[in-house]
Amino acid sequence: MQTCAKVIKCRAAVAWGPHKLSIEDVEVAPPKAHEVRVKILAAGICRTDDQVLEGEMGGISYPVILGHEGAGVVESVGEGVTNLKPGDKVIPLCIPQCGTCSSCLHPATNCCFKTHLKEPQNLMPDKTSRFTCKGLQVHHFLWNSTFSEYTVVPEDAVAKIDAAMPLDKACLFGCGFSTGYGAVVNTAKVQPDSTCAVFGLGGVGLSAVIGCKAAGASRIIAVDINQGKFEKAKQFGATECINPRDYDKPIQEVLLEMTGGEGVAYSFECIGNVDVMKAALEACHIGYGTSVIVGEAPAGAEISFSPVLLFTGRTWKGSIFGGWKSKDCVPRLVSDYMAKKFNLDGLVTHTLPFDKINEGFELLQSGQSIRCVLLF
Ligand SMILES: NC(=O)c1ccc[n+]([C@@H]2O[C@H](COP(=O)([O-])OP(=O)(O)OC[C@H]3O[C@@H](n4cnc5c(N)ncnc54)[C@H](O)[C@@H]3O)[C@@H](O)[C@H]2O)c1
Ligand SMILES: [Zn+2]
Ligand SMILES: [Zn+2]
């Protein structure tokens, strides 16, 4: 059936406010110029989606269709889109790459000026929505809104991938895997034979463990308060797993002791907890230790810390979407997966039909799932 240029009626998970997520019938307008309408076939649930549902993230306009870790096929394209056509396998990108802003032109960053860091991505670039439900305008999320059978994304926020890539794994390149893996190989540039600590062993933290292993780290110390995550961490390459609750002293002191009083060369905070961010910095080696903030702290959170930590040569960095220039790099990452350069399949612990999305969020909240992938 030719759906191009017509409104599509389909199902989407609409968040009406914090803790209010329901499957609804929605209308999805055709793509305008430089936009693409995508039929979503698989979508992972990331903690960031949960943080919105918990009301922890600022700048959200309700109702909204969440989801930013999806994969699907192009259904139709708007005027002026030349590099994509119906049927192409694609991944929507939560960090776009416009290719022309000062960040896109600079080799050291992927923080494109078209991201929510500069202005909200809750509407399309022309400040209108392509979604309606019960006569109401529904907002977009990060220009992705992958919890919908169909979504519309700007062409700068979509990557074409290998036609042979299975979509139930491809979706993880849309956020969790690319974020954790890239924080290690791009942002920290972990060196062979180094000692690393990864705090938080969800989809993002375990992807950081995969990155540390790929980078040749000799010690990978995995830290989580849920020891149910340890078996997976070891499968992905962690050499030691520790639970802060098993010690009567701060975790940074435990890590210093484990490294002969010296500290780790690299640490990664993959939780979104400001106290752990500070502990991760304090656990770093004087003079050359690097700590990377990957977790997203709740809106308004702040950290106070002793400047001596940096004065004495430690480096504190942050990493968004693993530092990847998204449109260029996501297709290459997918090709590397197809070439078996790394394996992320174990990150998907659950699959559920799309209409069981609330069950998927419960699995994440209770610490049972790493990634639950919804199949459409
Ligand atoms: N930087 C980015 O671009 C980016 C992208 C995606 C997600 N994120 C953020 O990364 C974080 C992790 O995402 P995820 O999907 O892996 O989440 P997740 O909830 O699956 O994993 C978090 C893990 O941290 C553990 N944890 C919680 N408190 C802890 C503590 N005090 N000490 C040790 N471990 C603790 C939990 O048990 C869990 O295993 C979130 O804050 C998310 O918003 C950032
Ligand atoms: Zn995410
Ligand atoms: Zn840009």
Side-chain angles (χ1 to χ4, degrees):
M1 188 179 73
Q2 177 64 268
T3 47
C4 186
K6 286 196 190 134
V7 170
I8 291 179
K9 290 187 184 200
C10 67
R11 292 176 313 151
V14 178
W16 298 96
H19 307 286
K20 284 187 200 148
L21 184 74
S22 50
I23 300 280
E24 306 284 357
D25 292 322
V26 299
E27 296 83 36
V28 184
K32 292 191 182 176
H34 300 288
E35 296 177 358
V36 180
R37 189 160 58 184
V38 178
K39 181 177 169 60
I40 296 291
L41 292 166
I45 301 177
C46 171
R47 178 62 72 181
T48 305
D49 299 307
D50 186 52
Q51 283 171 330
V52 176
L53 277 184
E54 296 289 320
E56 289 171 7
M57 202 187 259
I60 299 295
S61 315
Y62 297 96
V64 59
I65 297 175
L66 298 173
H68 62 285
E69 199 177 78
V73 292
V74 172
E75 177 270 341
S76 59
V77 299
E79 209 184 305
V81 176
T82 52
N83 61 348
L84 291 163
K85 58 180 188 318
D88 283 348
K89 269 192 188 175
V90 290
I91 295 176
L93 304 166
C94 53
I95 294 289
Q97 184 186 352
C98 76
T100 55
C101 74
S102 56
S103 284
C104 282
L105 293 173
H106 196 285
T109 179
N110 65 341
C111 288
C112 174
F113 274 44
K114 291 200 174 172
T115 63
H116 63 290
L117 307 164
K118 284 282 172 190
E119 56 179 292
Q121 289 170 284
N122 56 357
L123 293 170
M124 293 302 274
D126 71 349
K127 306 295 174 207
T128 62
S129 170
R130 302 292 162 269
F131 297 119
T132 51
C133 178
K134 300 176 182 168
L136 289 171
Q137 169 181 277
V138 179
H139 291 88
H140 294 249
F141 180 59
L142 301 176
W143 285 348
N144 279 192
S145 297
T146 52
F147 296 154
S148 176
E149 288 174 328
Y150 287 87
T151 188
V152 179
V153 297
E155 65 175 336
D156 292 340
V158 60
K160 180 178 168 175
I161 57 163
D162 189 327
M165 178 69 192
L167 292 177
D168 61 332
K169 304 294 183 307
C171 57
L172 299 192
F173 291 89
C175 184
F177 176 76
S178 304
T179 296
Y181 186 80
V184 172
V185 302
N186 293 330
T187 311
K189 296 191 170 50
V190 164
Q191 297 299 304
D193 295 323
S194 53
T195 298
C196 300
V198 177
F199 294 77
L201 304 173
V204 175
L206 288 173
S207 300
V209 170
I210 297 173
C212 291
K213 169 99 177 159
S218 53
R219 280 182 87 184
I220 305 169
I221 307 171
V223 185
D224 203 296
I225 50 174
N226 176 355
Q227 61 193 40
K229 305 283 176 101
F230 292 169
E231 198 187 319
K232 241 309 90 133
K234 286 194 173 149
Q235 281 169 20
F236 283 127
T239 55
E240 293 129 282
C241 294
I242 55 172
N243 183 344
R245 293 186 174 157
D246 289 344
Y247 301 89
D248 54 10
K249 59 179 93 163
I251 194 66
Q252 58 273 38
E253 284 180 26
V254 175
L255 283 160
L256 286 169
E257 277 173 20
M258 288 173 76
T259 51
E262 296 192 347
V264 298
Y266 305 95
S267 67
F268 300 88
E269 200 279 358
C270 305
I271 302 163
N273 177 321
V274 289
D275 294 328
V276 182
M277 290 173 187
K278 192 172 149 188
L281 176 67
E282 289 175 355
C284 278
H285 199 292
I286 194 167
Y288 63 79
T290 297
S291 188
V292 183
I293 293 176
V294 188
E296 192 164 347
E302 294 189 353
I303 308 182
S304 71
F305 68 102
S306 165
V308 173
L309 288 164
L310 302 186
F311 179 70
T312 46
R314 294 172 190 83
T315 302
W316 213 352
K317 296 181 128 185
S319 183
I320 288 185
F321 194 60
W324 301 106
K325 286 191 183 283
S326 57
K327 211 172 158 85
D328 291 346
C329 296
V330 165
R332 276 189 245 144
L333 275 172
V334 168
S335 300
D336 285 352
Y337 168 85
M338 300 287 288
K340 298 196 173 7
K341 291 194 183 162
F342 50 78
N343 189 348
L344 51 74
D345 297 359
L347 294 175
V348 180
T349 51
H350 297 76
T351 51
L352 284 175
F354 172 51
D355 56 7
K356 298 210 166 147
I357 183 168
N358 276 309
E359 231 172 89
F361 274 100
E362 282 158 25
L363 287 167
L364 182 69
Q365 285 153 8
S366 63
Q368 292 175 73
S369 63
I370 303 297
R371 276 300 190 259
C372 173
V373 171
L374 304 167
L375 300 175
F376 289 68

